[in-house]
């Protein structure tokens, strides 16, 4: 017989029998005739003689007990002798099978097996269970002899056979024993992986307690494995990180099981396993110079700790997250073309501290702003195409970040630099199609506003308004309604910012005219004339 894997599927316990006073006790069936009983007795005796190592009364009674309930009813059960408990009967039969009997048993459950003495007396489920017992009966001796490999094979075979019989609790128990022996053998990573598979299978068959036990044992095995195999100079951390990630997942699953049962304290304990695993992952990444990833992991730990009310520990880990992001920033400061990543590191450090009300946020924001500014200046000095566009974005980030640091003067200065970069970018787009020039002028106006230069802002808004209305006209005349509507929205925005009330209201009226493009040609001419007049005169109101 071939048995592979340790899958577990929902089934039934063949010992839970209808009409029995005890779930594990076979009762007499007074409806069985004496002739049938005599036939059963002869079949039992023949079976004992062929396949067991003895034919005394106890062994034959065990065979009779199992056979009587091969279909779930006491068929052919002897009324003259007390019936035995089924589990004891099964164990007795399995224990006394001769080598020839074991071979015949395996043949009776193999593929294409025909009728045999085994199939005559026992159901297929009973034969699966008997075969499982024969494997289990060998485990103690092989473990005593330190033949762990053989013991594991026997237990895994038993687990597979119990699964085929639909005996999922017994299957899980055998598989858990196998994982425990693998752990004793020193193969902790393999044991932990097997525990996880068992836990997942037990969840699938509704075996809550077995699943929890398997998850707990998996976590223990993984922690032991990591303690033995992980060092600060480990040059190949990916496998170790995978171990800790698996511990985290096991903790989260165990927590979910506890929560579903209302066991909130146990759920918190399991969440703590998961958080601790993620924290160790972050520590390992910090040691390997993977500072940004470490910072993200620390933040996940913070969220997990706050979820279970560990606020003091969460603050400590928040500090580690801020330190990790700062370390990442300092790494990238060495690369001028990636100063944006350095600035983002300082920014994330500041945000982490700010969220928890910890000191140091303003300093981190200031460092981020200076780095954004340095990145913008690097773009300007390079002479690269599109440099003003990228510089303007970096200056805007610098202005915003200086403001968060409480530095109003540097913030306004950065916004002013952004505005001039936007103007230069708009100038480079004079001969380009589309609305990029108009958008650049709009952004220049906004940046001037933020820098406190209202006259310069108004000038930029007027240029932007003129450009957008020209785009509106072009799209309307060409029948490009979606593009015209977007240009009208931009025109309404810029005219509102520039206090050009007439233009803003006209844009809104046009946007509220869904049939505009299907009007008669005379109305088109009217629209053309209106737009020409409006575009020709652009003065503040």
């Amino acid at each position: 017989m071939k048995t592979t894997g340790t899958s577990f599927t929902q089934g039934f316990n063949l010992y839970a029998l209808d009409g029995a006073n005890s779930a594990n006790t076979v009762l007499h069936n007074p409806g069985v005739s004496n002739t049938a009983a005599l036939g059963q007795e002869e079949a039992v005796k023949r079976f004992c003689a062929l396949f067991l190592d003895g034919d005394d009364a106890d062994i034959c009674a065990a065979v009779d007990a199992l056979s009587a309930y091969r279909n779930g009813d006491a068929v052919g059960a002897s009324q003259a002798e007390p019936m035995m408990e089924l589990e004891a009967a099964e164990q007795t039969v399995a224990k006394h099978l001769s080598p020839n009997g074991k071979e015949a048993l395996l043949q009776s459950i193999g593929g294409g097996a025909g009728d045999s003495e085994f199939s005559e007396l026992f159901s297929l489920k009973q034969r699966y269970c008997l075969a499982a017992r024969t494997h289990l009966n060998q485990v103690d001796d092989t473990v005593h002899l330190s033949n762990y490999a053989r013991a594991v094979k026997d237990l895994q075979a038993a687990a597979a056979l119990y699964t085929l019989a639909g005996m999922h609790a017994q299957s899980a128990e055998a598989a858990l024993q196998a994982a425990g022996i693998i752990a004793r053998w020193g193969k902790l990573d393999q044991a932990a992986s097997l525990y996880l598979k068992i836990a997942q299978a037990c969840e699938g068959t509704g075996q809550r307690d077995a699943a929890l036990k398997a998850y707990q044992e998996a976590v223990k095995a993984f922690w032991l494995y990591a303690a033995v195999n992980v060092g600060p100079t480990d040059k190949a951390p990916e496998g170790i990180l995978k171990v800790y990630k698996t511990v985290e997942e096991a903790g989260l699953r165990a927590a979910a099981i506890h929560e579903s049962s209302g066991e909130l304290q146990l759920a918190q304990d399991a969440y703590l396993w998961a958080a601790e695993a993620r924290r160790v992952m972050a520590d390992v990444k910090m040691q390997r110079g993977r500072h940004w990833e470490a910072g993200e992991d620390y933040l996940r730990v913070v969220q997990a700790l706050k979820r279970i009310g560990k606020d003091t520990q969460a603050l400590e880990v928040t500090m580690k997250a801020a330190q990790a992001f700062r370390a990442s920033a300092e790494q990238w400061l060495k690369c001028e073309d990636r100063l944006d990543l350095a600035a983002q590191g300082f920014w994330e450090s500041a945000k982490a501290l700010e969220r928890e009300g910890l000191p140091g946020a303003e300093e981190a924001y200031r460092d981020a702003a200076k780095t954004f500014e340095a990145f913008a200046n690097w773009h300007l000095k390079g002479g690269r195409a599109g440099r003003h566009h990228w510089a303007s974005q970096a200056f805007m980030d610098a202005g915003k970040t200086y403001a968060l640091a409480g530095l109003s003067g540097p913030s306004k200065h950065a916004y002013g630099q952004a505005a001039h970069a936007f103007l230069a970018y708009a100038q480079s787009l004079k001969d380009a199609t589309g609305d990029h020039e108009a958008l650049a002028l709009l952004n220049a106006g906004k940046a001037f506003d933020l820098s406190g230069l209202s006259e310069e802002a108004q000038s930029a808004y007027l240029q932007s308004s003129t450009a957008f209305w020209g785009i509106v006209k072009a799209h309307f005349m060409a029948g490009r309604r979606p593009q015209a509507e977007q240009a009208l929205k931009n025109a309404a925005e810029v005219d509102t910012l520039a206090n050009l009330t007439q233009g803003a209201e006209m844009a809104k009226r046009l946007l509220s005219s869904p049939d505009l493009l299907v009007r008669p040609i005379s109305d088109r001419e009217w629209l053309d004339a209106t737009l020409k007049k409006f575009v020709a005169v652009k003065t503040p109101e």
Side-chain angles (χ1 to χ4, degrees):
M1 182 200 65
K2 182 179 180 182
T3 59
T4 59
T6 55
S7 61
F8 312 95
T9 54
Q10 188 72 38
F12 64 91
N13 188 325
L14 68 90
Y15 299 134
L17 304 173
D18 294 335
N21 292 330
S22 168
N24 293 317
T25 304
V26 178
L27 304 181
H28 298 292
N29 187 340
V32 177
S33 68
N34 288 334
T35 302
L38 289 172
Q40 171 79 1
E41 183 178 351
E42 290 300 319
V44 168
K45 286 183 178 180
R46 184 175 67 253
F47 179 90
C48 292
L50 287 173
F51 301 119
L52 300 182
D53 58 11
D55 59 357
D56 59 49
D58 288 343
I59 299 175
C60 289
V63 173
D64 192 31
L66 285 182
S67 178
Y69 271 77
R70 62 182 176 273
N71 297 317
D73 296 310
V75 179
S78 169
Q79 300 181 46
E81 300 291 337
M83 303 300 287
M84 303 173 63
E85 289 188 359
L86 287 178
E87 287 191 16
E90 181 184 281
Q91 173 66 354
T92 299
V93 174
K95 181 179 179 181
H96 288 282
L97 282 173
S98 65
N100 181 49
K102 291 177 183 178
E103 183 178 353
L105 171 60
L106 294 181
Q107 289 177 351
S108 77
I109 60 177
D115 292 337
S116 67
E117 288 82 354
F118 274 93
S119 61
E120 179 183 348
L121 289 175
F122 308 120
S123 70
L124 181 59
K125 290 183 184 297
Q126 289 176 315
R127 282 175 274 151
Y128 282 138
C129 291
L130 280 172
R133 288 276 187 182
T134 63
H135 285 288
L136 292 177
N137 288 340
Q138 300 175 123
V139 172
D140 287 342
D141 290 340
T142 51
V143 170
H144 181 71
L145 296 172
S146 297
N147 189 351
Y148 295 127
R150 178 64 191 177
V152 169
K153 286 182 180 179
D154 278 325
L155 285 164
Q156 289 182 326
L161 286 161
Y162 276 132
T163 297
L164 291 171
M167 308 292 285
H168 299 293
Q170 291 85 342
S171 180
E173 184 179 351
L176 285 168
Q177 278 187 265
I181 290 174
I182 292 172
R184 286 173 58 186
W185 195 0
K187 298 179 180 295
L188 292 167
D189 54 337
Q190 294 181 26
S193 296
L194 180 55
Y195 277 128
L196 278 181
K197 291 178 182 178
I198 296 168
Q200 291 160 359
C202 288
E203 278 199 85
T205 57
Q207 298 178 79
R208 172 193 174 280
D209 292 341
L212 283 172
K213 180 180 179 181
Y215 278 128
Q216 290 164 357
E217 293 300 326
V219 170
K220 290 178 186 177
F222 273 129
W223 278 123
L224 287 171
Y225 173 74
V228 171
N229 291 279
V230 181
T233 59
D234 189 355
K235 296 180 180 178
E238 290 306 321
I240 301 305
L241 291 174
K242 184 177 180 181
V243 166
Y244 287 125
K245 182 171 177 58
T246 307
V247 171
E248 179 188 42
E249 292 171 353
L252 292 174
R253 287 303 312 143
I257 294 173
H258 283 305
E259 275 190 331
S260 67
S261 301
E263 299 165 343
L264 301 184
Q265 184 56 56
L266 293 173
Q268 286 194 3
D269 293 343
Y271 278 126
L272 199 55
W273 306 344
E276 179 63 12
R278 179 61 63 169
R279 184 195 63 75
V280 175
M281 288 174 64
D283 289 345
V284 171
K285 290 175 182 178
M286 278 295 288
Q287 292 169 4
R288 274 49 175 205
R290 294 161 60 174
H291 301 132
W292 183 276
E293 293 178 63
E296 292 181 320
D297 282 343
Y298 283 131
L299 288 182
R300 289 181 63 176
V301 176
V302 169
Q303 293 173 351
L305 291 173
K306 291 177 75 173
R307 176 178 183 176
I308 59 177
K310 304 290 184 180
D311 293 342
T312 301
Q313 291 173 258
L315 290 177
E316 294 172 359
V317 179
T318 297
M319 291 296 296
K320 299 188 78 167
Q323 292 164 4
F325 285 123
R326 176 169 282 276
S328 175
E330 291 169 352
Q331 271 185 321
W332 288 110
L333 282 176
K334 303 169 186 176
C335 307
E336 274 193 312
D337 60 337
R338 296 323 315 258
L339 287 175
D340 56 331
L341 295 180
Q344 289 171 23
F346 287 127
W347 173 278
E348 289 297 333
S349 179
K351 293 297 290 183
L353 295 169
E354 184 182 54
R355 277 192 296 267
E356 304 303 324
L358 294 170
E362 288 188 356
E363 179 185 356
Y365 277 133
R366 184 181 67 245
D367 292 339
K370 288 180 178 179
T371 309
F372 278 128
E373 208 166 24
F375 189 50
N377 286 320
W378 174 79
H379 278 295
L380 290 179
K381 73 179 183 181
R384 289 170 294 278
R387 64 188 184 278
H388 292 107
H389 169 67
W390 297 112
S392 63
Q393 300 299 325
F395 278 130
M396 289 295 289
D397 289 334
K400 176 182 178 180
T401 312
Y402 273 128
L404 290 170
L407 300 171
S408 175
S411 175
K412 289 182 178 181
H413 177 71
Y415 281 131
Q417 288 179 301
H420 287 293
F422 277 123
L423 289 178
Y425 180 51
Q427 183 63 35
S428 71
L429 297 170
K430 275 291 183 185
D431 299 325
T433 58
D435 59 359
H436 297 294
E437 178 192 3
L439 286 170
L441 290 166
L442 171 59
N443 288 326
K446 291 179 179 180
F448 276 129
D449 261 342
L450 289 168
S451 69
L453 300 172
S454 56
E455 291 185 9
E456 288 83 349
Q458 187 69 12
S459 174
Y461 287 143
L462 288 173
Q463 294 179 68
S464 178
S465 177
T466 300
F468 273 126
W469 279 104
I471 294 169
V472 168
K473 176 186 174 182
H475 285 316
F476 265 123
M477 296 301 102
R480 296 188 291 264
R481 184 185 183 90
Q483 295 89 331
E485 288 182 348
Q486 183 57 53
L488 276 170
K489 291 176 183 177
N490 291 328
E493 178 186 8
V494 70
D495 283 0
T496 300
L497 290 169
N499 294 318
L500 296 172
T501 308
Q502 180 185 356
E505 290 180 353
M506 173 179 278
K508 292 173 184 177
R509 286 199 304 272
L510 292 174
L511 283 169
S512 64
S513 303
D515 61 336
L516 187 63
L517 293 182
V518 295
R519 287 185 177 183
I521 189 64
S522 58
D523 284 350
R524 288 289 201 87
E525 292 170 349
W526 168 84
L527 174 62
D528 187 23
T530 302
L531 292 174
K532 282 181 180 178
K533 179 180 178 182
F534 187 76
V535 171
V537 182
K538 302 299 297 181
T539 56
E541 299 176 359

